Amino acid sequence: MRLYGGIEAGGTKFNCVIGSGPDHIVAEARIATTTPAETVGHTIAFFQRHAPEYPIHAIGIGSFGPVDLHEDSPTYGYITTTPKPGWAQTDLCGALHQALSIPVAFDTDVNAAAFGEYHWVPENRALDPLLYLTIGTGIGLGAIVNGQPLHGLLHPEAGHMLLPHDRTIDPFEGSCPFHGDCWEGLAAGPAIEKRWQQRGETLPPDHPAWQLEAQYIAYAVANLIYAFSPQRIVLGGGVMQQAGLLDRVRCEVQGIINDYLQSDRITRDIDQLIVAPGLGNRSGVLGAIALAIQAPR
Ligand SMILES: [Zn+2]
């Protein structure tokens, strides 16, 4: 069986795997995200160390961003303007390609996760467009359209969309350094913590924080349903681990759409439209494997 490498390059850690799919992972490592030289060095060393026993045909990377996805650009495969100290203008793709001399596929972390859910979860396979949202430290959107991750001008950044914000109900000004009260500024993990002065995990399930959170997520999800007409929306990320939040979001989405869209998947079977990740917290790294499988030779 052909083996591939997968890297989920995150702001706090790089998850690296070698395998052929969800049921066949032969090696795995978690590498702390410190400096590019150290982290990329350890990542390369992981694959080199295993190469004699587990030679890989290609590698896929799903990276935090922003990243350059234009194959004809001189900075293709770079992490570009990230505010993360030391990581701006890092040639991630080139470093891996140079060290390992194998094809490297490159995309955003959320596009990789979307592709993982699309490629590996049998029930998702025919459901195109498929959207994957991560709601955690940040908010990001990956989109599969016509079977491939959506890029476009740069890549989707739906976490920064603007939403109704009633300041009489929620006077919190928002925490996005660029926009204040965009979706991420109102509803990502750090916003929850700043608004309520305690971490989301410590807020009880009946705390008003969760109804407000469901409302903001539902506004955004409804906007995405209008814009993409998706057949599947996967909600992942740490905030979505909160018990009951997924059901609240489904219910709020139905309320916002208000029967305007006549589809059974909205009016009746919304639990078939808006779902938790089929791959748990491994959508990203398994998506990176799926990207590697289709990397050009
Ligand atoms: Zn923003």
Coordinates of all heavy atoms in Angstrom, one line a residue, residues 2-3 5 7 43-45 47-48 51 55-61 92-105 295-297:
R2 N 0.6 2.2 -0.9 CA 1.4 3.4 -1.0 C 1.2 4.3 0.3 O 0.1 4.4 0.8 CB 1.0 4.3 -2.2 CG 1.6 3.8 -3.5 CD 1.2 4.7 -4.6 NE 2.0 4.4 -5.7 CZ 2.7 5.3 -6.5 NH1 2.6 6.6 -6.2 NH2 3.4 4.9 -7.5
L3 N 2.3 4.8 0.8 CA 2.3 5.7 2.0 C 2.5 7.1 1.6 O 3.2 7.4 0.6 CB 3.4 5.2 2.9 CG 3.2 3.9 3.6 CD1 4.4 3.5 4.4 CD2 1.9 3.8 4.4
G5 N 2.7 11.3 3.4 CA 2.9 12.2 4.6 C 1.8 13.2 4.6 O 1.3 13.7 3.6
I7 N 0.7 16.8 7.0 CA 1.1 17.8 8.0 C -0.1 18.7 8.2 O -0.5 19.4 7.3 CB 2.3 18.6 7.6 CG1 3.5 17.7 7.3 CG2 2.7 19.6 8.7 CD1 4.7 18.4 6.7
T43 N 10.1 18.7 11.7 CA 9.2 18.1 10.8 C 9.9 17.3 9.8 O 9.6 16.1 9.5 CB 8.3 19.2 10.2 OG1 7.6 19.9 11.2 CG2 7.2 18.5 9.3
I44 N 10.9 17.9 9.2 CA 11.7 17.2 8.1 C 12.4 16.0 8.8 O 12.3 14.9 8.2 CB 12.7 18.2 7.5 CG1 12.0 19.2 6.6 CG2 13.7 17.4 6.7 CD1 12.8 20.4 6.2
A45 N 12.9 16.1 10.0 CA 13.6 15.0 10.6 C 12.7 13.9 10.9 O 13.1 12.7 10.8 CB 14.2 15.5 11.9
F47 N 10.1 12.9 9.1 CA 9.9 12.1 7.8 C 11.2 11.4 7.4 O 11.1 10.2 6.9 CB 9.3 13.0 6.7 CG 7.9 13.4 7.0 CD1 7.6 14.7 7.4 CD2 6.9 12.5 6.8 CE1 6.3 15.1 7.7 CE2 5.6 12.9 7.1 CZ 5.3 14.2 7.5
Q48 N 12.3 12.0 7.6 CA 13.6 11.4 7.2 C 13.9 10.2 8.1 O 14.4 9.2 7.6 CB 14.7 12.4 7.3 CG 14.7 13.4 6.2 CD 15.8 14.5 6.3 OE1 16.2 14.9 7.4 NE2 16.2 15.1 5.2
A51 N 11.9 7.3 6.9 CA 12.0 7.0 5.5 C 12.5 5.6 5.1 O 11.9 5.0 4.2 CB 12.8 8.1 4.7
P55 N 8.8 4.6 3.4 CA 9.0 5.7 2.4 C 7.7 6.2 1.9 O 6.7 5.5 1.6 CB 9.7 4.8 1.3 CG 9.3 3.4 1.5 CD 9.0 3.3 3.0
I56 N 7.6 7.5 1.7 CA 6.4 8.2 1.3 C 6.5 8.7 -0.1 O 7.6 9.1 -0.6 CB 5.9 9.3 2.3 CG1 7.1 10.3 2.5 CG2 5.5 8.7 3.6 CD1 6.6 11.5 3.3
H57 N 5.4 8.7 -0.9 CA 5.3 9.1 -2.3 C 5.1 10.6 -2.5 O 5.5 11.1 -3.5 CB 4.3 8.3 -3.0 CG 4.7 6.9 -3.3 ND1 4.6 5.9 -2.3 CD2 5.2 6.3 -4.4 CE1 5.1 4.8 -2.9 NE2 5.4 5.0 -4.1
A58 N 4.4 11.2 -1.5 CA 4.1 12.6 -1.6 C 3.7 13.1 -0.2 O 3.4 12.3 0.6 CB 3.0 12.9 -2.6
I59 N 3.7 14.4 -0.1 CA 3.3 14.9 1.2 C 2.3 16.0 1.0 O 2.3 16.7 0.0 CB 4.6 15.5 1.9 CG1 4.4 15.5 3.4 CG2 5.0 16.8 1.4 CD1 5.8 15.5 4.1
G60 N 1.3 16.1 1.9 CA 0.3 17.1 1.9 C 0.4 18.0 3.1 O 0.7 17.5 4.2
I61 N 0.3 19.3 2.9 CA 0.3 20.3 4.0 C -1.0 21.1 4.1 O -1.4 21.7 3.1 CB 1.5 21.3 3.9 CG1 2.8 20.5 3.6 CG2 1.6 22.2 5.1 CD1 4.0 21.5 3.3
L92 N 7.2 27.3 3.5 CA 7.0 25.9 4.1 C 7.1 24.8 3.0 O 7.8 23.8 3.2 CB 5.6 26.0 4.7 CG 5.2 24.9 5.7 CD1 6.2 24.8 6.8 CD2 3.8 25.3 6.3
C93 N 6.4 25.0 1.9 CA 6.3 24.1 0.8 C 7.7 23.8 0.3 O 8.1 22.6 0.1 CB 5.4 24.6 -0.2 SG 4.6 23.5 -1.3
G94 N 8.5 24.8 0.0 CA 9.8 24.7 -0.6 C 10.8 24.0 0.3 O 11.6 23.1 -0.1
A95 N 10.7 24.3 1.6 CA 11.6 23.6 2.6 C 11.4 22.1 2.6 O 12.3 21.3 2.6 CB 11.4 24.2 4.0
L96 N 10.1 21.7 2.6 CA 9.8 20.3 2.6 C 10.2 19.6 1.3 O 10.8 18.5 1.3 CB 8.3 20.1 2.9 CG 7.8 19.9 4.3 CD1 8.3 18.7 4.9 CD2 8.1 21.1 5.2
H97 N 9.9 20.3 0.2 CA 10.2 19.7 -1.1 C 11.7 19.6 -1.3 O 12.2 18.5 -1.8 CB 9.6 20.6 -2.2 CG 9.9 20.1 -3.6 ND1 9.3 19.0 -4.1 CD2 10.7 20.6 -4.6 CE1 9.7 18.8 -5.3 NE2 10.6 19.7 -5.6
Q98 N 12.5 20.6 -0.9 CA 13.9 20.5 -1.0 C 14.5 19.4 -0.2 O 15.4 18.7 -0.6 CB 14.5 21.9 -0.5 CG 15.6 22.3 -1.4 CD 15.9 23.8 -1.2 OE1 15.4 24.4 -0.2 NE2 16.7 24.4 -2.1
A99 N 14.0 19.3 1.1 CA 14.6 18.3 2.0 C 14.3 16.9 1.6 O 15.0 15.9 1.8 CB 14.2 18.6 3.4
L100 N 13.0 16.7 1.1 CA 12.5 15.3 1.0 C 12.5 14.8 -0.5 O 12.3 13.6 -0.8 CB 11.2 15.1 1.6 CG 11.1 15.5 3.1 CD1 9.7 15.5 3.7 CD2 12.0 14.5 3.9
S101 N 12.6 15.8 -1.4 CA 12.6 15.5 -2.9 C 11.4 14.6 -3.3 O 11.5 13.6 -4.0 CB 13.9 14.7 -3.3 OG 15.0 15.5 -2.9
I102 N 10.2 15.0 -2.8 CA 9.0 14.3 -3.3 C 7.9 15.4 -3.5 O 8.1 16.6 -3.1 CB 8.4 13.4 -2.2 CG1 8.3 14.0 -0.8 CG2 9.2 12.1 -2.1 CD1 7.6 13.2 0.2
P103 N 6.8 15.1 -4.3 CA 5.8 16.1 -4.5 C 5.2 16.6 -3.2 O 5.0 15.8 -2.3 CB 4.8 15.4 -5.4 CG 5.5 14.2 -6.0 CD 6.6 13.9 -5.0
V104 N 4.9 17.9 -3.2 CA 4.3 18.5 -2.0 C 3.0 19.2 -2.4 O 3.0 20.0 -3.3 CB 5.2 19.5 -1.3 CG1 4.5 20.1 -0.1 CG2 6.5 18.9 -0.9
A105 N 1.9 18.8 -1.8 CA 0.6 19.5 -2.0 C 0.4 20.5 -0.9 O 0.7 20.1 0.3 CB -0.5 18.5 -2.1
A295 N -1.5 14.9 -5.2 CA -0.5 15.8 -5.6 C 0.1 15.5 -7.0 O 0.3 14.3 -7.3 CB 0.7 15.7 -4.6
P296 N 0.3 16.5 -7.8 CA 0.8 16.2 -9.2 C 2.3 15.6 -9.1 O 3.0 16.0 -8.2 CB 0.9 17.6 -9.9 CG 0.5 18.6 -8.8 CD 0.1 17.9 -7.6
R297 N 2.5 14.6 -9.9 CA 3.9 14.0 -9.9 C 4.8 14.8 -10.8 O 4.5 15.2 -11.8 CB 3.8 12.5 -10.3 CG 2.9 11.7 -9.5 CD 3.6 11.4 -8.1 NE 2.8 10.6 -7.2 CZ 1.9 11.1 -6.4 NH1 1.7 12.4 -6.4 NH2 1.2 10.3 -5.7

